[in-house]
Short mmCIF file of all heavy atoms in Angstrom, two decimals:
data_model
loop_
_atom_site.label_atom_id
_atom_site.label_comp_id
_atom_site.label_asym_id
_atom_site.label_seq_id
_atom_site.Cartn_x
_atom_site.Cartn_y
_atom_site.Cartn_z
N ARG A 1 45.87 -13.67 48.06
CA ARG A 1 45.22 -13.97 49.33
C ARG A 1 46.24 -14.39 50.38
O ARG A 1 46.19 -13.95 51.53
CB ARG A 1 44.19 -15.09 49.13
CG ARG A 1 43.44 -15.49 50.38
CD ARG A 1 42.47 -16.65 50.11
NE ARG A 1 43.13 -17.84 49.63
CZ ARG A 1 43.73 -18.75 50.41
NH1 ARG A 1 43.77 -18.57 51.71
NH2 ARG A 1 44.29 -19.82 49.90
N ILE A 2 47.18 -15.22 49.97
CA ILE A 2 48.15 -15.78 50.92
C ILE A 2 49.31 -14.82 51.21
O ILE A 2 49.74 -14.67 52.34
CB ILE A 2 48.69 -17.13 50.39
CG1 ILE A 2 47.56 -18.14 50.31
CG2 ILE A 2 49.82 -17.66 51.26
CD1 ILE A 2 47.91 -19.40 49.56
N ARG A 3 49.83 -14.18 50.16
CA ARG A 3 50.99 -13.30 50.30
C ARG A 3 50.72 -11.95 49.64
O ARG A 3 51.25 -11.64 48.58
CB ARG A 3 52.21 -13.93 49.64
CG ARG A 3 52.81 -15.13 50.31
CD ARG A 3 53.60 -14.78 51.56
NE ARG A 3 54.57 -13.73 51.38
CZ ARG A 3 55.83 -13.92 51.04
NH1 ARG A 3 56.29 -15.11 50.82
NH2 ARG A 3 56.65 -12.89 50.91
N PRO A 4 49.89 -11.11 50.24
CA PRO A 4 49.59 -9.81 49.63
C PRO A 4 50.82 -8.92 49.47
O PRO A 4 50.85 -8.06 48.59
CB PRO A 4 48.57 -9.19 50.58
CG PRO A 4 48.70 -9.93 51.85
CD PRO A 4 49.21 -11.29 51.51
N ASP A 5 51.85 -9.15 50.29
CA ASP A 5 53.05 -8.33 50.20
C ASP A 5 53.77 -8.48 48.86
O ASP A 5 54.50 -7.58 48.44
CB ASP A 5 54.01 -8.66 51.35
CG ASP A 5 54.41 -10.13 51.35
OD1 ASP A 5 53.51 -10.99 51.40
OD2 ASP A 5 55.63 -10.40 51.30
N ILE A 6 53.56 -9.59 48.17
CA ILE A 6 54.18 -9.78 46.86
C ILE A 6 53.67 -8.74 45.86
O ILE A 6 54.38 -8.37 44.93
CB ILE A 6 53.91 -11.21 46.34
CG1 ILE A 6 54.68 -12.23 47.18
CG2 ILE A 6 54.28 -11.36 44.88
CD1 ILE A 6 54.39 -13.66 46.83
N PHE A 7 52.47 -8.27 46.06
CA PHE A 7 51.84 -7.36 45.10
C PHE A 7 51.98 -5.88 45.51
O PHE A 7 51.29 -5.02 44.96
CB PHE A 7 50.36 -7.73 44.93
CG PHE A 7 50.19 -9.11 44.38
CD1 PHE A 7 50.02 -10.19 45.21
CD2 PHE A 7 50.23 -9.34 43.02
CE1 PHE A 7 49.87 -11.48 44.71
CE2 PHE A 7 50.09 -10.61 42.51
CZ PHE A 7 49.91 -11.68 43.35
N LEU A 8 52.85 -5.62 46.48
CA LEU A 8 53.09 -4.22 46.87
C LEU A 8 53.77 -3.48 45.74
O LEU A 8 54.48 -4.08 44.95
CB LEU A 8 53.96 -4.18 48.13
CG LEU A 8 53.27 -4.57 49.43
CD1 LEU A 8 54.29 -4.63 50.56
CD2 LEU A 8 52.18 -3.59 49.77
N PRO A 9 53.62 -2.19 45.59
CA PRO A 9 52.97 -1.26 46.49
C PRO A 9 51.50 -1.03 46.18
O PRO A 9 50.79 -0.45 46.98
CB PRO A 9 53.77 0.02 46.27
CG PRO A 9 54.15 -0.03 44.83
CD PRO A 9 54.38 -1.50 44.55
N ASP A 10 51.00 -1.48 45.03
CA ASP A 10 49.63 -1.09 44.66
C ASP A 10 48.61 -2.23 44.75
O ASP A 10 47.43 -2.01 44.51
CB ASP A 10 49.61 -0.49 43.25
CG ASP A 10 50.32 -1.38 42.24
OD1 ASP A 10 50.63 -2.54 42.58
OD2 ASP A 10 50.56 -0.91 41.13
N PHE A 11 49.04 -3.44 45.08
CA PHE A 11 48.16 -4.60 45.24
C PHE A 11 47.37 -4.96 43.99
O PHE A 11 46.30 -5.55 44.07
CB PHE A 11 47.18 -4.40 46.42
CG PHE A 11 47.85 -4.40 47.74
CD1 PHE A 11 48.00 -3.22 48.44
CD2 PHE A 11 48.33 -5.57 48.29
CE1 PHE A 11 48.63 -3.21 49.68
CE2 PHE A 11 48.95 -5.56 49.53
CZ PHE A 11 49.11 -4.39 50.23
N ILE A 12 47.88 -4.62 42.82
CA ILE A 12 47.19 -4.95 41.57
C ILE A 12 47.55 -6.36 41.14
O ILE A 12 48.73 -6.71 41.04
CB ILE A 12 47.53 -3.94 40.46
CG1 ILE A 12 47.00 -2.57 40.84
CG2 ILE A 12 46.99 -4.40 39.11
CD1 ILE A 12 47.37 -1.47 39.87
N ILE A 13 46.53 -7.17 40.89
CA ILE A 13 46.74 -8.54 40.42
C ILE A 13 46.65 -8.53 38.90
O ILE A 13 45.63 -8.13 38.34
CB ILE A 13 45.66 -9.49 40.97
CG1 ILE A 13 45.66 -9.46 42.49
CG2 ILE A 13 45.88 -10.91 40.46
CD1 ILE A 13 44.50 -10.19 43.10
N PRO A 14 47.70 -8.96 38.20
CA PRO A 14 47.59 -9.02 36.74
C PRO A 14 46.61 -10.10 36.32
O PRO A 14 46.57 -11.18 36.91
CB PRO A 14 49.03 -9.35 36.30
CG PRO A 14 49.67 -9.97 37.48
CD PRO A 14 48.99 -9.41 38.68
N ILE A 15 45.80 -9.80 35.33
CA ILE A 15 44.85 -10.75 34.77
C ILE A 15 45.23 -10.97 33.32
O ILE A 15 45.35 -10.02 32.54
CB ILE A 15 43.40 -10.23 34.85
CG1 ILE A 15 43.02 -9.90 36.30
CG2 ILE A 15 42.42 -11.22 34.24
CD1 ILE A 15 42.98 -11.11 37.22
N TYR A 16 45.43 -12.23 32.95
CA TYR A 16 45.86 -12.57 31.60
C TYR A 16 44.72 -13.23 30.84
O TYR A 16 43.85 -13.88 31.42
CB TYR A 16 47.06 -13.51 31.65
CG TYR A 16 48.24 -12.92 32.38
CD1 TYR A 16 48.55 -13.30 33.68
CD2 TYR A 16 49.04 -11.96 31.78
CE1 TYR A 16 49.63 -12.76 34.34
CE2 TYR A 16 50.12 -11.40 32.44
CZ TYR A 16 50.41 -11.80 33.72
OH TYR A 16 51.47 -11.26 34.39
N SER A 17 44.75 -13.07 29.52
CA SER A 17 43.80 -13.74 28.64
C SER A 17 44.60 -14.61 27.67
O SER A 17 45.82 -14.44 27.56
CB SER A 17 42.95 -12.71 27.88
OG SER A 17 43.73 -12.08 26.89
N PRO A 18 43.95 -15.50 26.94
CA PRO A 18 44.68 -16.31 25.97
C PRO A 18 45.38 -15.47 24.90
O PRO A 18 46.34 -15.92 24.29
CB PRO A 18 43.60 -17.20 25.36
CG PRO A 18 42.57 -17.32 26.43
CD PRO A 18 42.57 -15.98 27.12
N ALA A 19 44.94 -14.24 24.71
CA ALA A 19 45.60 -13.35 23.75
C ALA A 19 46.89 -12.76 24.31
O ALA A 19 47.68 -12.18 23.56
CB ALA A 19 44.65 -12.22 23.36
N ASP A 20 47.13 -12.93 25.60
CA ASP A 20 48.30 -12.35 26.26
C ASP A 20 49.45 -13.34 26.43
O ASP A 20 50.23 -13.24 27.36
CB ASP A 20 47.91 -11.84 27.66
CG ASP A 20 46.91 -10.72 27.63
OD1 ASP A 20 46.91 -9.97 26.64
OD2 ASP A 20 46.14 -10.60 28.59
N LEU A 21 49.58 -14.30 25.53
CA LEU A 21 50.59 -15.34 25.70
C LEU A 21 52.01 -14.78 25.69
O LEU A 21 52.90 -15.33 26.32
CB LEU A 21 50.44 -16.42 24.63
CG LEU A 21 49.17 -17.26 24.73
CD1 LEU A 21 49.14 -18.29 23.61
CD2 LEU A 21 49.06 -17.94 26.08
N SER A 22 52.23 -13.67 25.01
CA SER A 22 53.58 -13.10 24.97
C SER A 22 53.83 -12.12 26.12
O SER A 22 54.93 -11.58 26.23
CB SER A 22 53.81 -12.40 23.63
OG SER A 22 52.90 -11.33 23.48
N ALA A 23 52.84 -11.93 26.98
CA ALA A 23 52.98 -11.00 28.10
C ALA A 23 53.92 -11.55 29.16
O ALA A 23 53.94 -12.76 29.44
CB ALA A 23 51.62 -10.71 28.73
N SER A 24 54.71 -10.69 29.75
CA SER A 24 55.58 -11.07 30.85
C SER A 24 54.75 -11.35 32.10
O SER A 24 53.78 -10.64 32.37
CB SER A 24 56.57 -9.96 31.15
OG SER A 24 57.44 -9.76 30.07
N ILE A 25 55.16 -12.35 32.84
CA ILE A 25 54.48 -12.65 34.10
C ILE A 25 55.02 -11.70 35.16
O ILE A 25 56.22 -11.71 35.46
CB ILE A 25 54.70 -14.12 34.51
CG1 ILE A 25 54.06 -15.04 33.47
CG2 ILE A 25 54.11 -14.38 35.89
CD1 ILE A 25 54.28 -16.51 33.73
N LYS A 26 54.15 -10.90 35.70
CA LYS A 26 54.54 -9.92 36.71
C LYS A 26 54.38 -10.55 38.09
O LYS A 26 53.35 -10.39 38.76
CB LYS A 26 53.69 -8.66 36.57
CG LYS A 26 53.96 -7.96 35.25
CD LYS A 26 53.15 -6.73 35.07
CE LYS A 26 53.41 -6.00 33.79
NZ LYS A 26 53.76 -6.76 32.63
N PHE A 27 55.40 -11.30 38.45
CA PHE A 27 55.39 -12.06 39.70
C PHE A 27 56.85 -12.37 40.01
O PHE A 27 57.64 -12.61 39.10
CB PHE A 27 54.60 -13.37 39.48
CG PHE A 27 54.10 -14.02 40.73
CD1 PHE A 27 53.05 -13.47 41.44
CD2 PHE A 27 54.67 -15.19 41.18
CE1 PHE A 27 52.57 -14.08 42.59
CE2 PHE A 27 54.20 -15.81 42.33
CZ PHE A 27 53.15 -15.25 43.03
N PRO A 28 57.25 -12.37 41.29
CA PRO A 28 58.65 -12.65 41.60
C PRO A 28 59.13 -13.97 40.98
O PRO A 28 58.43 -14.99 41.05
CB PRO A 28 58.67 -12.72 43.13
CG PRO A 28 57.50 -11.90 43.55
CD PRO A 28 56.46 -12.09 42.49
N GLU A 29 60.29 -13.92 40.39
CA GLU A 29 60.81 -15.07 39.64
C GLU A 29 60.91 -16.34 40.48
O GLU A 29 60.59 -17.43 40.00
CB GLU A 29 62.19 -14.71 39.07
CG GLU A 29 62.77 -15.77 38.19
CD GLU A 29 64.08 -15.34 37.57
OE1 GLU A 29 64.44 -14.15 37.64
OE2 GLU A 29 64.76 -16.23 37.03
N PHE A 30 61.33 -16.22 41.72
CA PHE A 30 61.53 -17.42 42.54
C PHE A 30 60.22 -18.03 43.04
O PHE A 30 60.24 -19.10 43.64
CB PHE A 30 62.50 -17.17 43.70
CG PHE A 30 62.23 -15.90 44.45
CD1 PHE A 30 61.38 -15.88 45.53
CD2 PHE A 30 62.86 -14.74 44.08
CE1 PHE A 30 61.15 -14.72 46.24
CE2 PHE A 30 62.63 -13.55 44.77
CZ PHE A 30 61.78 -13.55 45.85
N TYR A 31 59.08 -17.40 42.78
CA TYR A 31 57.78 -17.98 43.12
C TYR A 31 57.03 -18.48 41.88
O TYR A 31 55.93 -19.02 42.00
CB TYR A 31 56.89 -16.96 43.83
CG TYR A 31 57.33 -16.61 45.23
CD1 TYR A 31 57.47 -15.29 45.61
CD2 TYR A 31 57.59 -17.59 46.17
CE1 TYR A 31 57.87 -14.95 46.89
CE2 TYR A 31 58.00 -17.26 47.45
CZ TYR A 31 58.13 -15.94 47.81
OH TYR A 31 58.53 -15.61 49.07
N ARG A 32 57.57 -18.28 40.71
CA ARG A 32 56.85 -18.66 39.49
C ARG A 32 56.64 -20.16 39.36
O ARG A 32 55.67 -20.60 38.77
CB ARG A 32 57.57 -18.11 38.27
CG ARG A 32 57.46 -16.61 38.17
CD ARG A 32 58.11 -16.08 36.95
NE ARG A 32 58.19 -14.62 37.03
CZ ARG A 32 59.01 -13.89 36.34
NH1 ARG A 32 59.83 -14.46 35.46
NH2 ARG A 32 59.03 -12.58 36.48
N SER A 33 57.54 -20.96 39.93
CA SER A 33 57.34 -22.41 39.86
C SER A 33 56.08 -22.81 40.63
O SER A 33 55.39 -23.75 40.25
CB SER A 33 58.55 -23.16 40.39
OG SER A 33 58.80 -22.82 41.73
N ALA A 34 55.74 -22.07 41.69
CA ALA A 34 54.51 -22.35 42.43
C ALA A 34 53.29 -22.09 41.55
O ALA A 34 52.31 -22.83 41.60
CB ALA A 34 54.43 -21.50 43.69
N LEU A 35 53.37 -21.04 40.71
CA LEU A 35 52.28 -20.80 39.75
C LEU A 35 52.15 -21.97 38.78
O LEU A 35 51.05 -22.42 38.47
CB LEU A 35 52.52 -19.51 38.97
CG LEU A 35 52.52 -18.19 39.73
CD1 LEU A 35 52.83 -17.04 38.79
CD2 LEU A 35 51.20 -17.97 40.43
N LEU A 36 53.29 -22.46 38.30
CA LEU A 36 53.29 -23.59 37.37
C LEU A 36 52.64 -24.81 38.00
O LEU A 36 51.79 -25.45 37.39
CB LEU A 36 54.73 -23.89 36.94
CG LEU A 36 54.93 -25.15 36.11
CD1 LEU A 36 54.22 -25.04 34.77
CD2 LEU A 36 56.42 -25.40 35.91
N TYR A 37 53.02 -25.13 39.21
CA TYR A 37 52.46 -26.31 39.87
C TYR A 37 50.97 -26.14 40.17
O TYR A 37 50.21 -27.10 40.11
CB TYR A 37 53.23 -26.62 41.16
CG TYR A 37 54.69 -26.94 40.90
CD1 TYR A 37 55.68 -26.53 41.78
CD2 TYR A 37 55.10 -27.64 39.77
CE1 TYR A 37 57.01 -26.81 41.55
CE2 TYR A 37 56.42 -27.92 39.53
CZ TYR A 37 57.38 -27.51 40.42
OH TYR A 37 58.69 -27.78 40.19
N PHE A 38 50.55 -24.93 40.48
CA PHE A 38 49.13 -24.66 40.70
C PHE A 38 48.35 -24.90 39.42
O PHE A 38 47.30 -25.55 39.43
CB PHE A 38 48.94 -23.21 41.18
CG PHE A 38 47.55 -22.90 41.65
CD1 PHE A 38 47.27 -22.84 43.00
CD2 PHE A 38 46.52 -22.65 40.76
CE1 PHE A 38 45.99 -22.53 43.45
CE2 PHE A 38 45.25 -22.35 41.19
CZ PHE A 38 44.97 -22.30 42.55
N VAL A 39 48.86 -24.39 38.29
CA VAL A 39 48.18 -24.58 37.00
C VAL A 39 48.08 -26.07 36.68
O VAL A 39 47.01 -26.55 36.26
CB VAL A 39 48.93 -23.81 35.88
CG1 VAL A 39 48.42 -24.21 34.50
CG2 VAL A 39 48.78 -22.31 36.08
N CYS A 40 49.15 -26.81 36.88
CA CYS A 40 49.13 -28.26 36.62
C CYS A 40 48.13 -28.97 37.54
O CYS A 40 47.39 -29.86 37.10
CB CYS A 40 50.51 -28.86 36.80
SG CYS A 40 51.69 -28.35 35.54
N GLY A 41 48.11 -28.57 38.80
CA GLY A 41 47.18 -29.18 39.74
C GLY A 41 45.73 -28.91 39.37
O GLY A 41 44.89 -29.81 39.45
N MET A 42 45.44 -27.68 38.97
CA MET A 42 44.07 -27.35 38.54
C MET A 42 43.66 -28.18 37.32
O MET A 42 42.55 -28.69 37.25
CB MET A 42 43.94 -25.86 38.22
CG MET A 42 44.01 -24.95 39.41
SD MET A 42 42.51 -24.98 40.41
CE MET A 42 41.37 -24.18 39.31
N ALA A 43 44.57 -28.31 36.36
CA ALA A 43 44.27 -29.09 35.16
C ALA A 43 44.09 -30.56 35.52
O ALA A 43 43.16 -31.22 35.03
CB ALA A 43 45.39 -28.93 34.14
N HIS A 44 44.94 -31.06 36.37
CA HIS A 44 44.87 -32.47 36.75
C HIS A 44 43.58 -32.78 37.52
O HIS A 44 42.99 -33.84 37.35
CB HIS A 44 46.09 -32.84 37.59
CG HIS A 44 46.21 -34.30 37.86
ND1 HIS A 44 46.53 -35.22 36.90
CD2 HIS A 44 46.05 -35.00 39.00
CE1 HIS A 44 46.56 -36.42 37.42
NE2 HIS A 44 46.27 -36.32 38.71
N MET A 45 43.15 -31.86 38.36
CA MET A 45 41.92 -32.07 39.12
C MET A 45 40.70 -32.16 38.22
O MET A 45 39.75 -32.87 38.53
CB MET A 45 41.72 -30.94 40.14
CG MET A 45 42.60 -31.08 41.34
SD MET A 45 42.51 -29.71 42.51
CE MET A 45 40.81 -29.25 42.52
#
């Protein structure tokens, strides 16, 4: 929603399940810490 350009060229959002723990995160490496903090924030809330 915030940065659609990250998902270019096809705008596909990867969806993970608990069975996908060994799956690579398809997201730019320098933004992955933001994903980590979001997950922690959601859990903390």
Side-chain angles (χ1 to χ4, degrees):
R1 180 182 60 83
I2 296 169
R3 290 285 309 269
D5 58 303
I6 290 175
F7 298 93
L8 287 174
D10 51 11
F11 292 107
I12 295 175
I13 303 171
I15 303 295
Y16 301 102
S17 73
D20 296 331
L21 293 180
S22 62
S24 295
I25 296 177
K26 295 180 179 34
F27 200 73
E29 185 176 348
F30 46 89
Y31 290 129
R32 290 182 191 160
S33 60
L35 295 178
L36 172 64
Y37 298 143
F38 190 102
V39 168
C40 291
M42 289 286 291
H44 188 70
M45 283 175 38

